[in-house]
Amino acid sequence: NPAQLFTSNFFYTAGFTRACTVKDSILYLTQSYAGICIVDATDPSRPVKLAGLELPRRFGPGRGRASKGVFLQGDLLFDVTTYGIEIADVSDKANPTWVGYLPFEGRDDLDLGGAFVIDSTYGYILQVDSTLVIYDLTDVASIVKLGSLKLNYRRLSDMLVHNNIAYLGYSPDTSSVVVDVSDKANPQIIRELPIAIRNFALKDTMLFVNNSSGLIILSIAKPDSPVVLQTINLIGLGQMIAIDNLLFIVDYDGIIALDITNVLNPTLLGELPKDNYLVHLSGESDRLYVANGSNGVSFYRIDYITDVTIGDPISHEFHLGQNFPNPFNSSTTIPYSLSHSGHVQLRIYDAL
């Protein structure tokens, strides 16, 4: 039973654990209204709390600011809260200190949607009013706004920045957006993708996204021209994370583990049972960490997977995808998938 082999340990926290990130077996947790918690998980059987840091009271009593997400960049920890991003120096793991703050512009509640990511020394905020804002984070004590781009979409979901290209996910809209952010002062839309996107995960030049139709695999060998390679019928998908050749996806019932060594034919390795809310995943090496949205974080071993017999390939439904790019000049790609192997005849008609 793969699910039984997964379980390693659990660490209890004082507040509701909303997000986690890990580096060198040091775990950084964000807790609703309770700030951050730093845990040494070198020995997963005996995790040790190193420090806790409460959120600053910037708005007086009665205006708590729940933590929503966490990012680690060098010795700086970025805690995404309801009204802005608190920045802590965690170079001394036992004595972290707040060193900066970045308030959100305009409407300030990320519960309604929105995203924040860090790429190098730049921060990208996708606001609930569909505005992408870019900041220089070189000096977190004096953060500088570099540029912004107003977009006309109604529901934000997730964002990923890679090689100066920002992929902006929207759901339930039927399109998502690719933006060139090489000029931070003047980001520009390159193209729309004809798919709704809830969540992203990246492995090399393969981009994994999901929506109500299932898991979609795209090639970003040309970062500004993603190409849909495969669509897999999975339902209830949430956050995803790629660790080596494994892809973990939160779904309605727990966490799905896929082997993505062959990205065009992922195989199902197992599924973890649901553990409270399963709100956020992080991981490295042989461990997966799951913030459960309740009172802590679960640790799971993933090294055992290489010794487990690979299961049957995920069944693919028949699917004919939108050609990309469209319009095109000399060539275009028409993705399709079949439920079984067989000969294919593709007919193209002039509809004019």
Side-chain angles (χ1 to χ4, degrees):
N1 184 346
Q4 291 179 348
L5 294 174
F6 254 105
T7 304
S8 178
N9 205 352
F10 185 86
F11 182 83
Y12 290 92
T13 58
F16 294 150
T17 309
R18 298 297 300 268
C20 59
T21 191
V22 62
K23 182 179 180 182
D24 299 331
S25 296
I26 302 297
L27 194 59
Y28 303 86
L29 312 175
T30 61
Q31 308 162 97
S32 291
Y33 305 105
I36 62 175
C37 178
I38 303 177
V39 178
D40 185 345
T42 304
D43 181 356
S45 66
R46 294 185 178 182
V48 177
K49 179 179 178 179
L50 300 179
L53 188 61
E54 293 186 357
L55 289 172
R57 294 185 176 272
R58 296 184 183 277
F59 304 103
R63 291 203 68 186
R65 293 173 302 118
S67 294
K68 304 295 182 183
V70 62
F71 296 85
L72 186 66
Q73 184 78 358
D75 288 327
L76 295 176
L77 190 72
F78 295 78
D79 183 0
V80 183
T81 74
T82 307
Y83 300 110
I85 299 167
E86 297 286 357
I87 306 168
D89 183 339
V90 294
S91 54
D92 182 350
K93 307 295 185 288
N95 295 287
T97 57
W98 297 117
V99 293
Y101 176 63
L102 175 60
F104 296 138
E105 298 181 1
R107 197 169 186 176
D108 56 4
D109 191 346
L110 282 192
D111 272 341
L112 301 175
F116 171 74
V117 298
I118 297 174
D119 183 55
S120 184
T121 58
Y122 301 103
Y124 301 81
I125 294 179
L126 192 55
Q127 299 180 162
V128 295
D129 66 353
S130 293
T131 300
L132 172 65
V133 188
I134 305 175
Y135 295 91
D136 184 347
L137 303 178
T138 304
D139 181 3
V140 295
S142 181
I143 296 174
V144 177
K145 178 180 175 181
L146 299 177
S148 63
L149 176 64
K150 184 69 173 69
L151 301 154
N152 296 314
Y153 294 86
R154 60 191 177 93
R155 180 66 178 177
L156 315 176
S157 56
D158 200 5
M159 170 171 54
L160 183 143
V161 179
H162 178 67
N163 287 342
N164 281 321
I165 301 295
Y167 304 91
L168 312 183
Y170 293 86
S171 181
D173 284 308
T174 57
S175 297
S176 295
V177 183
V178 181
V179 178
D180 184 344
V181 294
S182 54
D183 181 355
K184 310 303 181 197
N186 189 33
Q188 296 290 323
I189 295 176
I190 300 175
R191 58 174 44 86
E192 289 188 348
L193 296 177
I195 53 176
I197 295 176
R198 289 180 180 170
N199 301 278
F200 292 96
L202 179 66
K203 179 185 181 294
D204 301 326
T205 60
M206 294 298 168
L207 187 61
F208 299 85
V209 305
N210 60 40
N211 58 28
S212 58
S213 298
L215 177 66
I216 303 170
I217 304 171
L218 303 95
S219 169
I220 55 170
K222 294 183 178 179
D224 60 347
S225 302
V227 176
V228 175
L229 301 177
Q230 182 73 281
T231 298
I232 301 173
N233 183 28
L234 295 170
I235 63 172
L237 303 184
Q239 191 221 346
M240 304 184 291
I241 182 173
I243 303 176
D244 296 328
N245 288 321
L246 303 175
L247 181 69
F248 297 93
I249 313 172
V250 173
D251 73 354
Y252 287 139
D253 299 317
I255 301 174
I256 297 172
L258 302 178
D259 185 330
I260 54 174
T261 303
N262 180 355
V263 294
L264 294 181
N265 188 28
T267 51
L268 180 63
L269 294 177
E271 184 169 1
L272 299 175
K274 189 171 184 179
D275 180 12
N276 288 308
Y277 299 109
L278 298 176
V279 295
H280 195 265
L281 305 177
S282 186
E284 65 176 356
S285 183
D286 63 345
R287 295 193 189 104
L288 180 72
Y289 302 91
V290 184
N292 67 9
S294 180
N295 59 347
V297 59
S298 299
F299 303 174
Y300 296 99
R301 297 200 322 269
I302 57 178
D303 57 336
Y304 87 93
I305 292 179
T306 56
D307 297 324
V308 174
T309 301
I310 302 299
D312 293 331
I314 297 172
S315 60
H316 301 146
E317 291 187 348
F318 170 76
H319 174 75
L320 179 62
Q322 171 69 47
N323 69 300
F324 194 88
N326 184 28
F328 63 94
N329 184 7
S330 59
S331 65
T332 188
T333 299
I334 304 175
Y336 67 89
S337 62
L338 306 176
S339 60
H340 55 82
S341 61
H343 294 289
V344 172
Q345 184 179 65
L346 180 65
R347 291 181 177 149
I348 301 176
Y349 297 90
D350 185 348
L352 297 180

